[in-house]
Amino acid sequence: MDKGQQIGFLGWIKRGILAECLLAVGLAAVLIVQKGGSAARESASSNVLTIENDYIKWVDFTVSYEALCKAYDWDVKTHGKEHEICWVELLAYTAARTGGTFDKNALKIMDKAAKSLSEGDKTIEDLTCDMKYYAYYREAYDAAIGGLVGEYQAEGKTVYGLKGYFPLAQGFDYTHYDDFGVSRSYGYKRQHLGHDMMGLVGTPIIAVESGYVEALGWNQYGGWRIGIRSFDGKRYYYYAHLRQNYPYAEGLEEGSVVTAGDVIGYMGHTGYSTKENVNNIEVTHLHWGLQLIFDESQKEGNNEIWIDIYPLTRFLAKHTQPAAKVEGTKEWKRTTDIVDPAVEEYEAGREERVQ
């Protein structure tokens, strides 16, 4: 073999070795991606919440507006029929199937399951018997939205459907966008753990769900604010930056019982001050937040669970409460009353506890 042939032969060997190396790297990359994808799917299935010491420590509420609407429609459509569908269970099943993702494919999965359930082909127990994370999603979603749908009395008739209300009175202008998790710097660097709805000073604020007033007064971050606890103790609704000088509905105080749809206060821009009754917020808006509580130790401290409620806010726009001005005052009152059985049950229990 002459010198030129030797050089060519060596070059061919080098190219062969290089090709083998590239192939090995490619195969390794594929394995890593597959393993990473598998790990990501496993993580996606478990990252919605974490369980420690027998109660949930974290919830990532990722249910979309479209999913809320679809699950709610199935619930209402099948209510009172032989095969009823619970919207919380349907959403939990879908989340357990998709790892908490609610895209177009998830909606198809939801529809298919709902059709099977509504026709009696399957029960929710059949569909979820082998699902590792269904129970977690079921408990988490029940904590988030479990009190918003049910029976109530309106105009002397029993109604089944959405008994939670949009947080602003009907007909008042507002703007909003998904701002959950954006940074805040007043006092200390932190995330925005609620939803802002920009509007006009004095816009009536509506109770989203029936409950009792757990907190009312000044907070340097939220200004004049109201905290309302659901009767089952799982949800804490926080309404902040209320109007200067006249923040609350007349007669509202800690311990007051409110019915979903009641006017509880008025939009303003108070807050960001240790001094009470100060307008230090630049833009007039309602900050409302939803905290989930699985154990009382989570109410305040490092284990607080606040969820993104932008999709839920859009969903609640299905049920708005008109309000009318009380002549000669700064007050507004709801114009359509409901009787919520949850209020009656709580009041009856409170009377028994007093006795």
Side-chain angles (χ1 to χ4, degrees), residues 15-240:
R15 286 193 297 272
I17 293 172
L18 178 60
E20 288 184 0
C21 290
L22 290 173
L23 179 61
V25 170
L27 288 172
V30 169
L31 290 172
I32 289 170
V33 169
Q34 289 178 339
K35 185 176 180 181
S38 177
R41 287 190 293 273
E42 179 70 13
S43 176
S45 297
S46 59
N47 71 356
V48 66
L49 46 82
T50 55
I51 307 290
E52 188 177 331
N53 298 332
D54 297 327
Y55 62 87
I56 293 174
K57 290 290 184 72
W58 176 252
V59 175
D60 186 11
F61 189 73
T62 56
V63 182
S64 67
Y65 164 74
E66 292 79 10
L68 288 167
C69 292
K70 187 175 287 290
Y72 171 72
D73 288 344
W74 276 109
D75 188 310
V76 173
K77 183 167 62 174
T78 60
H79 178 70
K81 297 186 177 180
E82 182 180 0
H83 304 293
E84 293 186 337
I85 293 175
C86 169
W87 75 316
V88 174
E89 292 177 349
L90 184 57
L91 289 167
Y93 163 78
T94 306
R97 280 284 306 273
T98 67
T101 299
F102 285 90
D103 54 13
K104 290 182 179 180
N105 183 58
L107 297 181
K108 291 179 181 178
I109 290 172
M110 182 187 296
D111 267 338
K112 183 178 179 180
K115 189 173 185 297
S116 180
L117 290 168
S118 66
E119 293 175 353
D121 296 334
K122 296 282 186 179
T123 66
I124 193 67
E125 290 77 19
D126 293 333
L127 292 176
T128 62
C129 62
D130 295 323
M131 286 187 167
K132 182 177 179 181
Y133 297 108
Y134 170 75
Y136 298 164
Y137 282 100
R138 178 67 176 80
E139 184 176 356
Y141 289 0
D142 183 63
I145 59 175
L148 298 180
V149 172
E151 288 188 349
Y152 60 94
Q153 299 288 322
E155 299 179 348
K157 299 178 180 179
T158 299
V159 178
Y160 180 86
L162 187 56
K163 64 177 182 177
Y165 281 87
F166 189 68
L168 303 181
Q170 185 181 104
F172 285 81
D173 290 335
Y174 68 94
T175 59
H176 69 150
Y177 60 93
D178 194 352
D179 55 348
F180 186 82
V182 300
S183 62
R184 290 289 186 269
S185 59
Y186 174 78
Y188 62 96
K189 190 174 181 180
R190 65 198 192 283
Q191 289 184 318
H192 184 233
L193 299 178
H195 182 60
D196 288 347
M197 305 183 71
M198 281 62 73
L200 300 175
V201 171
T203 296
I205 306 304
I206 303 298
V208 170
E209 183 183 349
S210 301
Y212 58 91
V213 178
E214 189 170 78
L216 184 143
W218 183 264
N219 176 293
Q220 67 168 313
Y221 303 103
W224 293 121
R225 90 290 188 228
I226 304 170
I228 295 177
R229 190 77 167 263
S230 63
F231 294 131
D232 63 9
K234 297 177 182 179
R235 290 168 295 286
Y236 179 74
Y237 294 91
Y238 181 71
Y239 309 84

Side-chain angles (χ1 to χ4, degrees), residues 308-319:
D308 185 351
I309 49 176
Y310 175 66
L312 183 60
T313 304
R314 292 178 60 201
F315 173 74
L316 289 170
K318 290 175 174 288
H319 199 198

